[in-house]
Amino acid sequence: MELLIPLDSQSKKSLYEQIYGHICREIREGSLTAGERLPSTRMLAEHLKVSRSTTQMAYDQLLAEGYIEARPYRGYFVSQLDGLFDAIPESRQQMRREEPEGEGYLVDFSPRGIDLDSFPYNVWRKISRSTLVDDNREMFHAGSPQGEPGLREAIRGYLHTARGVKCSVEQIIVGAGNEYLLMLLAQILGSQRRIAMENPTYRQAYLVFCSLGYPVFPTEMDENGMNPEQLKASGADVAYVMPSHQFPTGIVMPVGRRQELLRWAEDGPDRYLIEDDYDSEFRYRGKPVPALQGMDRSGRVIYLGTFSKCIAPAIRVSYMVLPPQLVERYQAQAGFYASTVSRIDQNILYQFLSQGYFERHLNRMRAIYKAKHDALLEAASPLETAFQIRGEYAGIHILLTSREGRREEELISLAAEAGVKVYGLSRCDIGAKREMETSTVILGYASLTESQIRMGAELLTSCWI
């Protein structure tokens, strides 16, 4: 069969979203009935004059939400859906909740996006199928609360070679997102804790700590990161830091400051540093910066990592490396919690890592993000007379600070009038607003094409200069 899908090249929605939305509506309204066969992704791509990856992404979304099903050697068919209601599917609601800000803009410089066009869908699909062949019943039994041993070993090997992290498999805990791991960590550390956080910081972690009832002390930063004197004055016994690439400022903490923080942790009983290493894979100048955990000789660093930035947010797999003495506490106080990541997903990720696909994907994404990073710096060069550009050469966002002290609200408003969404640094504040932050905006570029990046920079230049 053929599908007549009207595509609008001027629409703010991507082509795959338009294809997904049309088929979804056709199924809900009954125009496409249960059991009806859909054209192959190749045939649909040829008919619509789009790339096959575009139609494949649309079908993958429909498969994930259960609107269609894939039958081996036969193709794609409309699923049997009883009582379907006219509401946005849950996963699409989540997508809107996560990134509502960019709707209605020509260019959205969201710092939270990643490049999903380059996701290795074919590899992931192949591994997913192989995981479930031969009625692999073992995958449906309860697994280790800490995560599958094979996956933890693959993570350990990667952390040792790529980040200089020193740990055993027994120290690693796998969980569904950093928020869960922070809540689990609260069970281990206890409720009588005082948390110091860099200011500005990753606000989601701040909200988690507040929801757990911890008093949080915003600690100012200088050009080297968290200020040790303010940390001492705060009276905190746990400090949450991002030394390899601080979010959102982009500061890379030098070795001297890292040693100062380690000495602070060693000087007090039961003090710890939580190292959030959220996007250290993406560095475009110089050698990779080793993790703070690799410098720790006293077991005072709790290391957090995630696959959300380097693979995809929907993977929802993060990991925590506990110091040896906290592993014993974990076993005694929280070892009964079941793993929040299914064994199937863990096995898929294990194969992705152990078979070399992850390394190849990372190398590819580094090249893609570097090209986008360079395109943004080049396109933003006319802004340098009026703005200081910071946070470049690592991560997937940069900062622009007005040299004239123009207020953040004015810059955001002018950009919005030009059809560009930018983000104020004040949204990452957890303390009193400061002069520097009221003049600074964040430009994320990972989810944009190079042409969108250039167009956005040109629009910003026209409205700000």
Side-chain angles (χ1 to χ4, degrees):
M1 65 168 292
E2 287 189 355
L3 284 178
L4 298 177
I5 302 178
L7 298 179
D8 182 3
S9 61
Q10 304 301 316
S11 173
K12 297 180 180 64
K13 290 186 176 181
S14 64
L15 293 176
Y16 101 85
E17 286 181 303
Q18 294 182 54
I19 296 169
Y20 157 84
H22 179 85
I23 297 177
C24 185
R25 285 191 299 273
E26 292 286 286
I27 294 174
R28 286 156 129 182
E29 294 169 2
S31 300
L32 291 174
T33 58
E36 192 167 350
R37 183 174 183 174
L38 299 176
S40 69
T41 56
R42 180 181 57 80
M43 291 179 60
L44 184 59
E46 291 177 355
H47 176 65
L48 298 178
K49 308 301 181 188
V50 300
S51 70
R52 188 174 179 182
S53 63
T54 298
T55 55
Q56 187 65 62
M57 287 175 66
Y59 276 26
D60 286 345
Q61 185 69 42
L62 292 163
L63 278 167
E65 294 178 3
Y67 282 97
I68 65 175
E69 58 188 44
R71 299 177 186 174
Y73 308 110
R74 297 188 61 196
Y76 296 95
F77 294 80
V78 178
S79 298
Q80 178 68 49
L81 300 172
D82 296 324
L84 187 65
F85 52 89
D86 288 332
I88 301 172
E90 182 178 351
S91 63
R92 304 297 288 178
Q93 291 177 349
Q94 180 66 23
M95 189 180 299
R96 289 192 178 183
R97 283 197 297 270
E98 289 179 351
E99 293 192 9
E101 301 98 335
E103 293 181 356
Y105 290 88
L106 295 173
V107 179
D108 177 14
F109 282 106
S110 171
R112 297 168 57 185
I114 70 166
D115 187 337
L116 286 176
D117 290 336
S118 302
F119 182 80
Y121 293 98
N122 291 334
V123 169
W124 201 266
R125 189 180 306 109
K126 182 181 74 171
I127 296 175
S128 300
R129 288 171 179 165
S130 68
T131 299
L132 297 176
V133 298
D134 299 328
D135 296 329
N136 191 353
R137 298 182 183 181
E138 178 64 23
M139 286 292 100
F140 294 90
H141 290 295
S144 168
Q146 286 185 236
E148 293 302 290
L151 175 58
R152 286 187 283 136
E153 174 57 35
I155 291 173
R156 186 209 63 77
Y158 165 69
L159 292 179
H160 178 68
T161 57
R163 303 298 303 125
V165 171
K166 299 173 183 178
C167 68
S168 66
V169 169
E170 290 71 30
Q171 292 174 247
I172 299 174
I173 301 173
V174 174
N178 281 14
E179 294 91 343
Y180 164 76
L181 291 176
L182 288 175
M183 289 188 287
L184 185 65
L185 183 60
Q187 299 290 315
I188 302 168
L189 294 177
S191 59
Q192 303 303 310
R193 293 286 182 171
R194 295 161 65 87
I195 313 290
M197 297 189 74
E198 300 159 323
N199 192 29
T201 192
Y202 176 48
R203 195 168 180 82
Q204 191 73 1
Y206 167 74
L207 295 174
V208 170
F209 287 133
C210 291
S211 72
L212 294 169
Y214 288 123
V216 177
F217 299 90
T219 306
E220 301 305 314
M221 295 189 296
D222 56 27
E223 67 276 9
N224 293 325
M226 178 178 276
N227 187 306
E229 297 305 317
Q230 289 204 16
L231 173 58
K232 294 174 185 176
S234 71
D237 53 12
V238 175
Y240 176 94
V241 294
M242 293 169 275
S244 294
H245 185 241
Q246 203 274 343
F247 183 86
T249 65
I251 292 173
V252 177
M253 188 180 292
V255 64
R257 180 57 53 83
R258 294 175 183 228
Q259 290 172 336
E260 288 184 85
L261 294 185
L262 286 171
R263 282 196 295 270
W264 167 84
E266 293 168 356
D267 287 345
D270 210 28
R271 283 183 183 172
Y272 292 98
L273 296 165
I274 300 175
E275 178 182 12
D276 189 343
D277 202 16
Y278 70 99
D279 75 346
S280 59
E281 292 86 0
F282 305 117
R283 185 167 177 79
Y284 315 120
R285 173 179 287 186
K287 296 180 180 179
V289 180
L292 174 65
Q293 196 269 3
M295 298 175 61
D296 181 23
R297 298 293 179 269
S298 304
R300 299 305 183 100
V301 176
I302 301 161
Y303 180 90
L304 289 176
T306 180
F307 292 105
S308 292
K309 290 289 187 184
C310 56
I311 299 182
I315 300 300
R316 295 300 295 163
V317 177
S318 295
Y319 46 89
M320 177 167 62
V321 179
L322 295 174
Q325 68 272 22
L326 290 187
V327 174
E328 297 177 10
R329 262 192 240 178
Y330 161 74
Q331 297 291 353
Q333 298 170 206
F336 58 88
Y337 286 108
S339 176
T340 51
V341 182
S342 79
R343 296 188 73 189
I344 295 172
D345 290 337
Q346 290 187 61
N347 189 62
I348 293 170
L349 184 55
Y350 161 69
Q351 293 187 57
F352 191 70
L353 268 66
S354 62
Q355 295 177 22
Y357 295 115
F358 179 61
E359 183 177 0
R360 291 195 287 273
H361 175 63
L362 266 187
N363 290 336
R364 183 184 180 207
M365 295 313 300
R366 286 191 188 103
I368 289 172
Y369 285 150
K370 185 181 186 304
K372 293 183 179 186
H373 162 272
D374 293 349
L376 178 55
L377 291 185
E378 180 183 1
S381 59
L383 292 167
E384 289 187 89
T385 56
F387 291 86
Q388 177 189 6
I389 299 178
R390 297 180 293 126
E392 69 273 38
Y393 308 128
I396 49 179
H397 73 273
I398 64 171
L399 303 179
L400 296 183
T401 300
S402 171
R403 298 183 188 275
E404 301 171 353
R406 297 169 68 181
R407 294 186 64 80
E408 173 188 295
E409 293 85 353
E410 176 194 357
L411 298 173
I412 293 174
S413 178
L414 289 172
E417 291 175 8
V420 182
K421 179 65 177 177
V422 297
Y423 298 77
L425 193 62
S426 64
R427 61 194 272 135
C428 302
D429 254 328
I430 57 172
K433 286 182 169 41
R434 292 155 290 170
E435 285 302 316
M436 180 198 71
E437 292 177 3
T438 59
S439 300
T440 301
V441 295
I442 305 173
L443 301 186
Y445 53 84
S447 60
L448 301 175
T449 64
E450 290 184 37
S451 61
Q452 288 174 323
I453 288 170
R454 294 188 182 95
M455 178 175 68
E458 290 173 2
L459 290 171
L460 292 178
T461 301
S462 66
C463 69
W464 285 349
I465 303 297

